[in-house]
Amino acid sequence: MFEEVRSMRLTPQRIRADVADVLGEDPADVPVDENLLDHGLDSVRIMTLLERWRRDHAVPVDFADLAERPSVEAWAALLGATA
């Protein structure tokens, strides 16, 4: 099961859904092209997302990479997420 999860590609939709999950929002309410810090995302939640993505998708980024450009669009490009 663990290998199945790791082999699934991270998509922009999954990033948006995961952000919505940590914010307690509906994915439709999470903007893809705006600074997520303006929508309540903080450093603890970024770390939560990063740990989830490292565990489930083996992403090779660190906190600074995500914090530098906190938007779904930017993260999708950084993480190589494709639809």
Side-chain angles (χ1 to χ4, degrees), residues 7-41:
S7 67
M8 293 173 19
R9 279 195 71 85
L10 192 58
T11 65
Q13 295 81 9
R14 176 81 266 151
I15 293 169
R16 190 178 193 189
D18 288 347
V19 169
D21 180 53
V22 299
L23 291 176
E25 300 285 339
D26 185 276
D29 294 333
V30 175
V32 296
D33 59 349
E34 294 178 23
N35 187 323
L36 295 170
L37 301 178
D38 295 338
H39 295 276
L41 194 68

Side-chain angles (χ1 to χ4, degrees), residues 3-77:
E3 288 303 317
E4 264 182 49
V5 171
R6 287 180 67 107
S7 67
M8 293 173 19
R9 279 195 71 85
L10 192 58
T11 65
Q13 295 81 9
R14 176 81 266 151
I15 293 169
R16 190 178 193 189
D18 288 347
V19 169
D21 180 53
V22 299
L23 291 176
E25 300 285 339
D26 185 276
D29 294 333
V30 175
V32 296
D33 59 349
E34 294 178 23
N35 187 323
L36 295 170
L37 301 178
D38 295 338
H39 295 276
L41 194 68
D42 58 23
S43 60
V44 173
R45 289 181 176 109
I46 292 173
M47 283 302 300
T48 299
L49 290 167
L50 179 57
E51 290 307 315
R52 179 185 300 182
W53 296 335
R54 283 179 175 165
R55 180 191 69 228
D56 295 347
H57 305 284
V59 299
V61 300
D62 61 26
F63 174 81
D65 295 326
L66 297 179
E68 186 175 311
R69 295 182 49 221
S71 75
V72 172
E73 243 177 21
W75 289 353

